[in-house]
Amino acid sequence: MSTSAQKNSNQTAAVELSISSLMEQVVAQSPGEAEFHQAVREVVKSVMPLVHAKPAYRDAKILERLVVPDSSITFRVTWVDDKGQVQVNRGYRIKMNGAIGPYKGGLRLHPSVNLGILKFLAFEQVLKNSLTTLPMGGAKGGSDFDPKGRSDGEVMRFCQAFMSVLFNHIGPDLDVPAGDIGVGDREIGFLFGQYRRLTNRFHGVLTGKSLNWGGSQLRPEATGYGAVYFAGNMLATRDQGLEGKTATVSGSGNAAQYTVEKLNSMGAKVWTTSSK
């Protein structure tokens, strides 16, 4: 084996050893959080060669910092349903990293919500936000409450109870939540109403509000449209376009619906969507 080949082999082995060592640390720090482990592993495999090439990154423990949240709160959400029965859910807010700006990331209401899933989403939100070149940190939150099948009154009482704890941890220069699965303009309206009641301030502390409450036009379409514009720009780097392409879309919610709409308008053919 040549000297250069041996050097490359040694570097590859060192990178793989570092990945394995970091993942052992992540699993030990957050046992049972499979979704989070998978997300970290995928990112670390991509960036570890760069970290090895920059000793300053290794010395500053950049990756070790990224995989541990700045802060993480878990709280009880107690509310009363339409039958007068007390219900108890878990609420979460994971502030993963705010090195470049206020935390930004959605609130998800779904029975599948747990700490590991939210840490996975918050971790990826850090990368997503930083790559926009805007000064925003990454966060995620939510609850295992399921708004599906609940009356407006029940959703309102849950959101009020949820915000009664969360409001102390968010703010326009601190942490600005948004909607996610199970959180549309109705839920955002209830959350914002409670935030205003508790703080006596009309802050821009939640995005995704309806136009009546200071929201922006095209907000519902933005995520889906943006995904298609991104795909179109990536294809353009190879002198291709979306016209005549076939596509599959993951999901069937708000983002997926507007992704399909924009794909169709740009000449692509959508074959399938998916749902749980």
Side-chain angles (χ1 to χ4, degrees), residues 23 27 30-41 114-117 120:
M23 288 310 305
V27 172
S30 51
E33 298 173 5
E35 297 86 358
F36 178 56
H37 302 160
Q38 179 182 348
V40 172
R41 184 178 291 106
N114 58 46
L115 186 61
I117 286 177
F120 139 58

Side-chain angles (χ1 to χ4, degrees), residues 83-263:
K83 298 178 180 178
Q85 299 296 313
V86 173
Q87 302 292 333
V88 180
N89 289 96
R90 287 188 176 185
Y92 306 87
R93 188 63 176 172
I94 313 300
K95 300 180 183 184
M96 201 71 194
N97 193 285
I100 63 173
Y103 302 98
K104 188 79 183 76
L107 296 172
R108 174 173 295 193
L109 300 182
H110 193 272
S112 66
V113 166
N114 58 46
L115 186 61
I117 286 177
L118 292 180
K119 284 176 65 176
F120 139 58
L121 294 169
F123 175 72
E124 294 201 338
Q125 193 75 38
V126 172
L127 305 175
K128 173 183 173 182
N129 289 352
S130 63
L131 290 171
T132 66
T133 71
L134 296 174
M136 299 186 298
K140 210 74 175 181
S143 173
D144 55 4
F145 170 79
D146 188 359
K148 187 176 181 180
R150 294 292 184 180
S151 69
D152 287 348
E154 288 177 322
V155 174
M156 179 184 70
R157 291 190 291 275
F158 169 83
C159 289
Q160 289 173 341
F162 183 87
M163 182 55 73
S164 293
V165 179
L166 187 65
F167 85 99
N168 275 318
H169 303 276
I170 62 175
D173 298 312
L174 173 62
D175 182 4
V176 183
D180 197 275
I181 292 173
V183 180
D185 57 5
R186 176 185 65 167
E187 289 75 19
I188 291 291
F190 291 148
L191 291 165
F192 181 66
Q194 184 71 352
Y195 176 85
R196 187 183 181 192
R197 180 182 295 114
L198 293 169
T199 65
N200 201 31
R201 290 179 172 84
F202 202 101
H203 276 161
V205 72
L206 288 162
T207 56
K209 297 186 291 293
S210 70
L211 293 178
N212 293 332
W213 302 106
S216 60
Q217 290 186 339
L218 286 179
R219 173 62 178 80
E221 296 89 342
T223 303
Y225 282 15
V228 178
Y229 289 139
F230 179 84
N233 285 326
M234 292 301 293
L235 286 169
T237 65
R238 302 190 178 191
D239 298 320
Q240 299 181 46
L242 286 165
E243 181 75 32
K245 290 286 193 299
T246 57
T248 59
V249 177
S250 175
S252 57
N254 179 81
Q257 292 173 28
Y258 287 112
T259 297
V260 170
E261 178 181 287
K262 183 54 66 174
L263 283 169

